[in-house]
Amino acid sequence: MIRASVRDALSRIQSAFPRKEDLETLLSLSDPDETSYLHATACAVRNTYCQERIAVRALIEISSVCKNSCNYCGLNRYNREASRYTMSNNEVLQSVKLAASQGFKTVVLQSGENGRTTESIAQLIAQIKQKFPIAVSLSLGEHPYEDYLAWKRAGADRYLLRIESTDEDFYRSLHTDRSLSTRLECLAHLRRLGYQAGSGIMVGVPGQSISTIARDIQFFSENQFAMIGIGPFIPHPQTPLAKCPAGDLLLTLNTIAVTRIVTKYPWMPATTALGSLNRDYRMEGLMAGANVIMPNFTPQRYKSQYAIYPNKQSRAETPESLEHLGKSANLAIDYGRCDSLLPEWNTCTPIA
Ligand code: 5AD
């Protein structure tokens, strides 16, 4: 049985700017009939706006060095037990080569902040673009406009920078010495430079509430991102949040579903964090409206060192395992670039 109030909230968020109360109602659903209905609606929206497919992106974690002290992250600079590595450009190129040989058309280069110089990253991007017909997404955190400009000029296509939270006080409580305004400024720079911009949040970070998540979803609705990543918080033992519980699975899936219904077009990963709880829940993520899988191409010897949270499942995947995921979710695997699907994307003029 689906309550009329739930049907009404769902239809309202699809046709107008989503009201906070409606988002909160839908995020809080727990009755199996109602959550199934919510997730099925999200899949229908995804299939209409993004087609029935999963985009695949090869993830390479290029450095675990970080100057930041985010309360939730195992790579924070106060974690003396974290092992730190920085891949050489040649090592990264080898990983890109492997991904390209398997048919991948996107690599995501991710790292902590300050692992490498601006110039060496620009060189790396240029080398990748010269050697391989592959889109480059960056996920390297907050940087000055000039860095983003240099990397765009070198050929980078996309940039992922999660907002983490739109609540200023909550944001500050998670990120010592950092402010929400800087993050918003970074996202504005990335857009102005013509990057396909991605954002997102964790679900279940201590201090977060349904109301904060609802506000974050309104932010996604106002700001139109090409990509939105949503995954559960997982406590890391060497952080101040070590003793806190992990994010709730159902709330994470509801957040993915509601975000999909409201924003329609973004590429949304079934995140590594969803695959790293007590079992792999990425399939449930796909069944709640996600449409990206990011197999891990970080060399084996570095994988375990990129420990943003414990038991991170850095699956490489095979063509067969991807096909299997796709079949079970009723989606085709798309090895193409899968650029932004936002209606305005093709008409936007980058300032460089
Ligand atoms: N649990 C889950 N996700 C995390 N991230 C960082 N630390 C954790 C954690 N402990 C997420 C952040 C970041 C992304 C790269 O990983 O949202 O933006």
Side-chain angles (χ1 to χ4, degrees), residues 196-212:
Q196 298 171 47
S199 199
I201 53 167
M202 284 172 286
V203 173
V205 195
Q208 188 189 48
S209 64
I210 298 276
S211 152
T212 340

Side-chain angles (χ1 to χ4, degrees), residues 59 61 88 90 110 113 131 174 184-185 206 209 217 239 244 304 306 311 330:
L59 175 66
E61 296 147 335
S88 70
N90 273 339
Q110 189 175 87
E113 283 183 24
K131 290 195 162 84
L174 295 173
L184 289 167
E185 204 175 288
S209 64
I217 294 177
T239 60
C244 301
S304 62
Y306 197 80
N311 302 318
N330 264 323

Side-chain angles (χ1 to χ4, degrees), residues 30-211:
S30 62
D31 171 84
D33 284 350
E34 292 181 338
T35 55
S36 298
Y37 185 62
L38 174 71
H39 299 181
T41 305
C43 287
V45 170
R46 173 199 59 206
N47 294 350
T48 302
Y49 289 89
C50 313
Q51 301 172 3
E52 295 169 41
R53 54 183 171 151
I54 299 173
V56 287
R57 325 286 206 191
L59 175 66
I60 308 173
E61 296 147 335
I62 64 175
S63 172
S64 65
V65 178
C66 193
K67 67 171 165 40
N68 279 338
S69 55
C70 308
N71 274 354
Y72 45 79
C73 184
L75 298 184
N76 80 76
R77 69 171 187 267
Y78 295 115
N79 181 6
R80 295 263 164 80
E81 289 174 44
S83 32
R84 310 287 177 176
Y85 69 89
T86 297
M87 288 171 69
S88 70
N89 280 5
N90 273 339
E91 285 176 313
V92 180
L93 284 164
Q94 283 307 312
S95 295
V96 177
K97 188 176 173 188
L98 184 64
S101 75
Q102 293 185 19
F104 284 78
K105 294 286 187 309
T106 294
V107 281
V108 180
L109 308 182
Q110 189 175 87
S111 77
E113 283 183 24
N114 226 14
R116 307 167 51 116
T117 66
T118 307
E119 192 40 44
S120 91
I121 291 171
Q123 274 170 12
L124 174 62
I125 296 163
Q127 285 172 323
I128 294 173
K129 296 299 287 192
Q130 201 176 35
K131 290 195 162 84
F132 305 100
I134 207 162
V136 173
S137 298
L138 303 176
S139 175
L140 310 174
E142 293 181 359
H143 287 269
Y145 180 85
E146 292 69 32
D147 291 12
Y148 292 154
L149 173 62
W151 298 337
K152 190 78 187 61
R153 284 193 172 145
D157 300 277
R158 314 185 186 127
Y159 205 104
L160 305 167
L161 185 66
R162 286 191 182 174
I163 192 74
E164 312 297 1
S165 175
T166 54
D167 182 294
E168 209 164 329
D169 294 334
F170 180 49
Y171 185 97
R172 205 178 280 280
S173 77
L174 295 173
H175 308 97
T176 327
D177 306 330
R178 322 207 102 207
S179 73
L180 178 61
S181 59
T182 312
R183 185 137 301 210
L184 289 167
E185 204 175 288
C186 286
L187 283 168
H189 289 333
L190 292 165
R191 262 173 212 286
R192 197 168 323 136
L193 286 165
Y195 282 93
Q196 298 171 47
S199 199
I201 53 167
M202 284 172 286
V203 173
V205 195
Q208 188 189 48
S209 64
I210 298 276
S211 152

